[in-house]
Amino acid sequence: MSLFTTLSSYDPQKVDTKYIQVASSQIPQNGHIELSEAESLSVIFLECADKITDEIARCSAYVGYCEAARRERKAIAIDERISGTDGNKAVAATIAAQLFGSDASYKAAHEKQVLGESFLQWLQTKYRNLMAAHVLCKDLLKIYQTSRDQGNWKGANPHSSFDEQENQKKDNEEEEDNIYTTTKSSISPPGADRW
């Protein structure tokens, strides 16, 4: 869908929001995100937020279009009341300015604008929530990486577990050699006490 189509054909009630609902349903309800899922969720949230920005732009333009249409309809309703062309008796301008709200076309234009504004507010809220969830995932990954770096843990290297096992084996062998040497040196050779 192009970013801007004919504004008169845009309808907030017909916009497909399934992708927003799917991404939003993955936001954890308890605030806990598994470390193994944090990276993939951060991408999902960011992609959805990016798509929402396009819809926010379309809806903002639509709301502006609806507001202009409502104002125009208001002016027409007031003029029709003053001149009496709406089927009612002509009234003074001050009275007509108070009665325009009962005009059916004005009501319809106002309802379209309110619907557009509500949809726009919903999109903006979803966008903020998804961006907050994205930042939460990224922060979780940063905290994890920082703790690994500060702890000097080398688990990120796929061969490190093998290296750690080899180093542990060497350490154990050296420790056994030290125990044997210590034990051997503590036993004095025969006749050493006589020298």
Side-chain angles (χ1 to χ4, degrees):
M1 176 182 212
S2 64
L3 186 57
F4 292 105
T5 57
T6 306
L7 292 174
S8 59
S9 65
Y10 184 87
D11 187 355
Q13 294 178 313
K14 294 181 181 176
V15 173
D16 182 20
T17 60
K18 288 179 191 160
Y19 69 96
I20 298 172
Q21 293 165 351
V22 168
S24 295
S25 70
Q26 295 184 51
I27 296 174
Q29 300 301 313
N30 60 0
H32 179 72
I33 297 175
E34 291 293 327
L35 186 60
S36 59
E37 298 174 334
E39 191 166 359
S40 63
L41 285 176
S42 72
V43 172
I44 290 168
F45 297 151
L46 186 60
E47 284 178 353
C48 186
D50 183 51
K51 288 180 185 177
I52 290 174
T53 57
D54 292 345
E55 202 59 49
I56 286 173
R58 280 189 281 274
C59 192
S60 294
Y62 174 74
V63 167
Y65 170 80
C66 287
E67 184 178 359
R70 179 189 59 82
R71 288 178 186 220
E72 180 183 8
R73 191 57 225 167
K74 176 182 176 181
I76 292 169
I78 291 172
D79 286 344
E80 287 175 346
R81 282 293 211 174
I82 293 170
S83 64
T85 57
D86 65 344
N88 294 320
K89 186 172 94 174
V91 294
T94 54
I95 296 172
Q98 295 172 356
L99 297 176
F100 73 88
S102 63
D103 182 70
S105 298
Y106 173 78
K107 285 181 184 178
H110 189 62
E111 287 171 4
K112 279 179 70 173
Q113 181 185 355
V114 169
L115 181 66
E117 288 172 347
S118 298
F119 185 58
L120 179 60
Q121 187 176 13
W122 182 81
L123 288 171
Q124 290 169 337
T125 302
K126 289 296 183 183
Y127 173 82
R128 284 192 298 271
N129 291 345
L130 287 165
M131 286 307 295
H134 168 73
V135 169
L136 177 65
C137 290
K138 296 304 277 183
D139 286 348
L140 180 65
L141 291 168
K142 283 179 191 173
I143 290 168
Y144 173 70
Q145 187 60 41
T146 302
S147 66
R148 286 174 58 116
D149 291 345
Q150 289 177 349
N152 203 15
W153 187 42
K154 299 179 182 177
N157 182 351
H159 304 290
S160 66
S161 60
F162 178 74
D163 292 342
E164 288 172 8
Q165 290 173 356
E166 287 296 313
N167 289 339
Q168 185 66 34
K169 187 176 177 183
K170 286 179 185 176
D171 290 345
N172 288 343
E173 287 173 359
E174 287 176 8
E175 192 174 311
E176 286 176 8
D177 286 346
N178 287 341
I179 291 172
Y180 178 72
T181 306
T182 306
T183 308
K184 201 173 175 185
S185 63
S186 64
I187 301 173
S188 49
D193 53 336
R194 291 187 225 148
W195 296 342

